[in-house]
Amino acid sequence: MIETVATTPFDDQKPGTSGLRKKVTRFQVPHYAANFIQAIFDAAKPDGGETLVIGGDGRFFNREVILTAIRMAAANGYGRVVVGRSGLLSTPAASNLIRKRRAAGGIILSASHNPGGPDGDFGIKYNIANGGPAPEKITEAIYRHSLAMTEFRIIAQTAPDISKLGETRLGDMVVEVVDPVADYASLMETLFDFGAIRELLASGFRIRFDAMHAVTGPYAKDILENRLGAPAGTVINGEPLEDFGGGHPDPNAVHAKALIDELMVKGGPDFGAASDGDGDRNLIVGRGVVVSPSDSLAVLAANAHLAPGYAGGIAGIARSMPTSQAADRVAQKRGLGMFETPTGWKFFGNLLDAGKVTICGEESAGTGSDHVREKDGLWAVLLWLNILAVRRESVADILSAHWAEFGRNYYQRHDYEEIDKEAAEGLMESLRDRLASMAGQRFGTLVVSEADDFSYRDPVDNSISTGQGVRIVFSGGSRIVFRLSGTGTHGATLRVYIERYEPDAARHGEAPQRALAELIQTADAIGEITKRTGRTAPDVVT
Ligand code: G16
């Protein structure tokens, strides 16, 4: 029996960079999650009988919302729901399932790299039939529906047990519980030379993968240990936990410090990697060297042809605007198309669907390809391993050779977290007000050549996205970019992205902090960061 439940709208359900992210406690407010799910269904408008994929990263509250979403899908006309066992699906695995099952879309429950547990964060994201995050016109429609919500539909029966594989019925809908790993692992086998990677690992090449007690544990164990023969114990923190073991599943220098430290010592593993809460981000570490995400994108694009799935070459590369221009140099030299999009994987979907690009990446530790429509942490790890298996050089040597060929884009991102929202908005506003007069201004040895607020016209559907970050470019090509994060759940996070190109190989050995020193000072001068936020240093530097 379908119940129609009267409700009242919430005014804070506007999806951000990647779906709706809030504190768990906000999602626990009665009807909060149900309202948003109904808004998704109202925007998606199933005709009847479609398939919907549902899964999440296993964080606290995952199971409750999944059971609600299943019951609501049955009341909103879906014919089949495909759900990962126990509600688990990594974001790239969900994207793959949506595509493989020709589903109308999917609901992914995750707050990505944000902390979990009862006091942590939660999130709901809608992906469309191509497997990718809903584009802005759909997220805006979801938001409009949420503001006008008066009732949601839910089936009265309880949802079936999702810890057991197989099919059951709920009203007129089939609930199919699937192994979360199997289809994804098979897809990886079609893209990479598992035989060559197995030989590399058998030759004594030692790897370590930190799953951070998040969703990738079962994927990494099956792929790295079972299928590729890495020794048991290669995957650490491999059991998904509702609170990520009290940790923060963000694979960066702060939260993956233990892994990085292990790789920095003589005699440590040859290769280390980590992924985030929902398995779409990656960290790549070689012995003695952390690979920055922007460099990783460039190296992967330049070497992808060494893996069977990309042996025919790649069509083009896309990166988000604040990501360093290292990949642009690869595109230029190899005669490939290059696209610069706003932050958010959703902006890559059209380019991938149109075949304009094969590889995409972002400075925020995301890389991926046209195999799915999400960034994919383990994919990046496997492509690196495939390249290492063919080249038989160390990560550090591959990186130096890359810089020698293309030049080095020194790069850092400075995050100022949980700052006062008004102060952050005032800082951005003031920058925007000064843009028109900035060209020609001198700061130390730096002269501004252009300054703008990035806006993007999608070359496929011509949709326009404005206000995507303030860019200040200096003669010589160095850049400072300011933008506010769209994924935080408390106050505002200011991100400052700093970049300088160095063509001279003799100068490629500097620490980024040093190589970028003048730009870092200039960022504070132009952005008035200390003056407006009271902060004298960033909370996280990546
Ligand atoms: C999400 C988006 C990414 C974006 C990142 C950071 O990643 O999918 O495209 O780069 O957030 O966004 P912001 O700078 O606005 O915080 P994830 O891994 O959190 O889903």
Side-chain angles (χ1 to χ4, degrees):
M1 199 186 74
I2 292 172
E3 284 177 357
T4 301
V5 180
T7 189
T8 47
F10 296 94
D11 63 4
D12 63 345
Q13 298 197 325
K14 187 176 171 59
T17 308
S18 184
L20 184 68
R21 284 190 196 163
K22 302 275 175 201
K23 292 278 168 217
V24 167
T25 46
R26 186 71 183 133
F27 275 100
Q28 284 171 324
V29 169
H31 295 185
Y32 192 85
N35 271 24
F36 189 68
I37 293 167
Q38 187 63 53
I40 291 174
F41 293 155
D42 289 347
K45 293 198 212 64
D47 296 329
E50 284 102 328
T51 297
L52 181 75
V53 170
I54 304 183
D57 62 13
R59 67 178 59 227
F60 181 80
F61 211 45
N62 197 54
R63 181 178 284 265
E64 285 86 338
V65 177
I66 285 190
L67 298 181
T68 302
I70 292 173
R71 291 173 59 215
M72 289 181 65
N76 276 276
Y78 288 95
R80 176 178 291 261
V81 149
V82 179
V83 57
R85 183 179 44 222
S86 300
L88 286 185
L89 277 179
S90 77
T91 291
S95 182
N96 179 45
L97 267 182
I98 294 169
R99 295 167 68 77
K100 202 168 165 199
R101 298 306 203 83
R102 298 188 193 291
I107 291 183
I108 300 177
L109 305 175
S110 169
S112 187
H113 53 289
N114 297 10
D119 302 320
D121 291 346
F122 193 75
I124 304 182
K125 185 170 84 157
Y126 181 63
N127 280 30
I128 57 173
N130 74 352
E136 278 185 336
K137 75 173 188 294
I138 296 181
T139 56
E140 276 155 22
I142 293 171
Y143 180 48
R144 275 198 308 278
H145 282 290
S146 80
L147 290 174
M149 192 60 55
T150 54
E151 57 185 40
F152 62 83
R153 290 182 292 288
I154 188 162
I155 200 157
Q157 291 95 308
T158 52
D161 179 3
I162 55 169
S163 66
K164 292 199 184 75
L165 297 180
E167 295 189 0
T168 41
R169 287 199 87 83
L170 185 64
D172 293 334
M173 189 181 82
V174 175
V175 179
E176 180 185 351
V177 180
V178 298
D179 177 342
V181 177
D183 285 335
Y184 175 83
S186 307
L187 174 65
M188 292 301 114
E189 285 191 330
T190 67
L191 299 174
F192 303 114
D193 187 343
F194 272 43
I197 301 174
R198 215 175 287 127
E199 274 176 35
L200 175 76
L201 299 180
S203 74
F205 186 92
R206 285 166 49 229
I207 65 172
R208 173 78 76 219
F209 182 90
D210 187 349
M212 305 189 97
H213 285 304
V215 78
T216 43
Y219 294 85
K221 275 191 200 157
D222 183 44
I223 294 172
L224 300 176
E225 295 184 5
N226 298 345
R227 297 182 192 228
L228 290 169
T234 294
V235 176
I236 54 171
N237 302 321
E239 190 196 341
L241 298 175
E242 283 195 334
D243 65 348
F244 308 117
H248 194 136
D250 191 350
N252 65 17
V254 175
H255 302 296
K257 186 171 182 305
L259 174 81
I260 293 175
D261 287 349
E262 199 187 343
L263 270 284
M264 293 306 129
V265 297
K266 224 172 152 199
D270 298 280
F271 179 85
S275 195
D276 68 334
D278 60 331
D280 55 2
R281 296 186 175 206
N282 72 84
L283 166 74
I284 302 293
V285 196
R287 189 184 300 133
V289 61
V290 178
V291 183
S292 87
S294 296
D295 279 340
S296 182
L297 169 67
V299 170
L300 293 181
N303 292 278
H305 60 279
L306 300 177
Y310 308 93
I314 59 173
I317 313 170
R319 63 165 171 83
S320 65
M321 183 273 281
T323 303
S324 99
Q325 296 163 96
D328 303 39
R329 310 209 168 261
V330 175
Q332 202 178 18
K333 226 172 165 176
R334 302 275 166 90
L336 300 168
M338 185 74 219
F339 296 84
E340 183 177 44
T341 63
T343 294
W345 205 263
K346 59 189 172 215
F347 292 103
F348 295 138
N350 279 347
L351 298 171
L352 290 163
D353 284 352
K356 288 181 180 293
V357 302
T358 308
I359 291 199
C360 308
E362 294 185 279
E363 48 66 38
S364 57
T367 16
S369 86
D370 59 359
H371 66 293
V372 289
R373 293 294 180 273
E374 288 278 6
K375 55 188 185 272
D376 188 343
L378 271 167
W379 170 90
V381 172
L382 292 169
L383 182 48
W384 263 101
L385 288 175
N386 199 145
I387 292 165
L388 289 160
V390 174
R391 290 184 53 165
R392 296 286 174 140
E393 294 163 67
S394 70
V395 173
D397 288 346
I398 288 179
L399 209 52
S400 315
H402 184 92
W403 293 333
E405 182 178 359
F406 298 98
R408 177 170 185 185
N409 286 70
Y410 279 104
Y411 183 82
Q412 269 188 347
R413 184 179 96 183
H414 292 197
D415 292 340
Y416 297 82
E417 292 175 344
E418 297 192 9
I419 55 177
D420 179 68
K421 226 173 163 178
E422 272 178 32
E425 278 160 10
L427 183 151
M428 292 303 296
E429 196 59 45
S430 154
L431 279 168
R432 289 193 178 104
D433 288 347
R434 284 178 281 141
L435 281 175
S437 59
M438 236 178 242
Q441 274 190 41
R442 175 179 282 278
F443 297 88
T445 67
L446 298 164
V447 179
V448 178
S449 59
E450 46 183 319
D452 70 355
D453 189 2
F454 182 59
S455 75
Y456 176 66
R457 177 192 286 270
D458 183 304
V460 179
D461 67 11
N462 287 318
S463 58
I464 292 177
S465 304
T466 56
Q468 297 293 329
V470 165
R471 287 193 288 197
I472 298 162
V473 184
F474 301 92
S475 35
S478 294
R479 295 196 309 174
I480 301 173
V481 173
F482 295 86
R483 64 178 280 280
L484 299 185
S485 159
T487 57
T489 59
H490 195 69
T493 295
L494 171 69
R495 302 206 196 283
V496 185
Y497 311 83
I498 299 154
E499 176 179 6
R500 177 168 84 77
Y501 179 60
E502 177 54 70
D504 181 359
R507 296 179 171 186
H508 286 167
E510 265 188 88
Q513 189 76 16
R514 236 185 110 102
L516 297 170
E518 187 178 18
L519 282 157
I520 292 170
Q521 267 185 6
T522 307
D524 188 43
I526 298 184
E528 302 173 339
I529 302 170
T530 305
K531 187 175 132 201
R532 288 174 175 274
T533 68
R535 302 286 178 90
T536 50
D539 298 284
V540 183
V541 175
T542 45

